[in-house]
Amino acid sequence: MTKFNYKMIVLMFVISILLLYLIGCNKNEESSGEIKIFEINNTEEILGKKNEQDVQIKKHFMILNPPKDLKKLKEIIEKYSKEHPVDEEKKDIEGKNRIFDMSFYRESKELPRDWEPDEGYMNTDRLEHHKNDLIAYIVWSDAKPQKEYNVYDKNKEGQINKRMRFMEDQLLSDK
């Protein structure tokens, strides 16, 4: 009888180890350290009136596992913007000066990867409430096609530890 109990205990232990191993193999991107960028759902904005000369196109993205090195962060968002050209997407807006604004946010407790804006009756949650997690943005226009890059190292509370500003590849400020 004790042999049977011993075998059951060993079998349960082996099954537990296998389950833990399988759970560990299914780690998400956060724990694997892979950098991933994707557009945040339902956040694109197109601002401008019919009779105005300018129209602003704002797109918002999440970066999972952003690098701490600000030059590396700039390179990553620069590569992403070249691989996903917003100005090519919005060719249908003709006859106006298009101003493009791409904002990049880090994942946080307040801004999880599946976050979407909430315009509920008693509660609103918009991206402007999450400026603490804004870590980079790119701005350019049809009139000024040179891209301006701003990248930030922020602490958990959103205070800026360091900021770098580039015009294309030229470093303009390093604070």
Side-chain angles (χ1 to χ4, degrees):
M1 192 73 146
T2 57
K3 227 178 186 185
F4 177 74
N5 286 339
Y6 176 71
K7 285 183 180 180
M8 284 302 292
I9 290 172
V10 169
L11 182 61
M12 289 173 51
F13 179 74
V14 169
I15 290 172
S16 299
I17 295 296
L18 283 173
L19 285 174
L20 289 172
Y21 176 76
L22 290 174
I23 290 169
C25 288
N26 292 327
K27 290 180 179 178
N28 61 24
E29 294 90 354
E30 181 181 352
S31 56
S32 70
E34 180 183 347
I35 297 170
K36 184 177 179 183
I37 301 176
F38 57 90
E39 188 168 356
I40 301 173
N41 292 331
N42 303 314
T43 60
E44 179 181 88
E45 301 171 88
I46 299 177
L47 309 169
K49 297 178 182 168
K50 286 184 179 182
N51 58 350
E52 290 180 348
Q53 184 60 30
D54 295 335
V55 63
Q56 187 173 20
I57 298 147
K58 297 177 116 187
K59 293 184 86 88
H60 307 275
F61 302 87
M62 172 95 41
I63 301 180
L64 302 180
N65 303 304
K68 285 284 189 192
D69 180 341
L70 295 182
K71 287 182 181 179
K72 177 87 170 146
L73 178 59
K74 186 256 184 194
E75 291 170 6
I76 289 167
I77 64 171
E78 181 177 34
K79 180 181 177 195
Y80 185 83
S81 75
K82 286 178 182 173
E83 292 173 355
H84 302 85
V86 175
D87 42 358
E88 294 297 318
E89 278 179 32
K90 301 297 177 188
K91 283 205 176 247
D92 58 333
I93 303 172
E94 292 184 22
K96 296 191 176 219
N97 178 39
R98 300 173 303 163
I99 302 165
F100 300 98
D101 182 332
M102 295 175 71
S103 298
F104 296 85
Y105 298 82
R106 63 184 175 193
E107 182 179 30
S108 70
K109 183 179 167 187
E110 293 78 26
L111 190 65
R113 65 183 67 186
D114 60 349
W115 181 91
E116 288 193 30
D118 181 7
E119 295 290 335
Y121 175 68
M122 296 296 282
N123 184 30
T124 58
D125 189 11
R126 299 183 189 127
L127 270 175
E128 57 260 25
H129 302 149
H130 298 280
K131 292 295 183 191
N132 287 349
D133 294 312
L134 177 69
I135 57 170
Y137 69 90
I138 309 170
V139 178
W140 76 100
S141 70
D142 291 329
K144 292 172 138 184
Q146 280 194 314
K147 292 182 179 177
E148 179 183 327
Y149 296 86
N150 290 273
V151 289
Y152 304 97
D153 174 32
K154 294 184 175 181
N155 65 18
K156 297 246 186 241
E157 291 77 36
Q159 295 169 325
I160 299 171
N161 296 327
K162 186 172 182 182
R163 173 186 179 212
M164 294 180 88
R165 186 171 158 243
F166 297 85
M167 186 62 73
E168 293 294 336
D169 288 331
Q170 182 182 357
L171 179 62
L172 299 178
S173 69
D174 185 1
K175 298 179 187 177

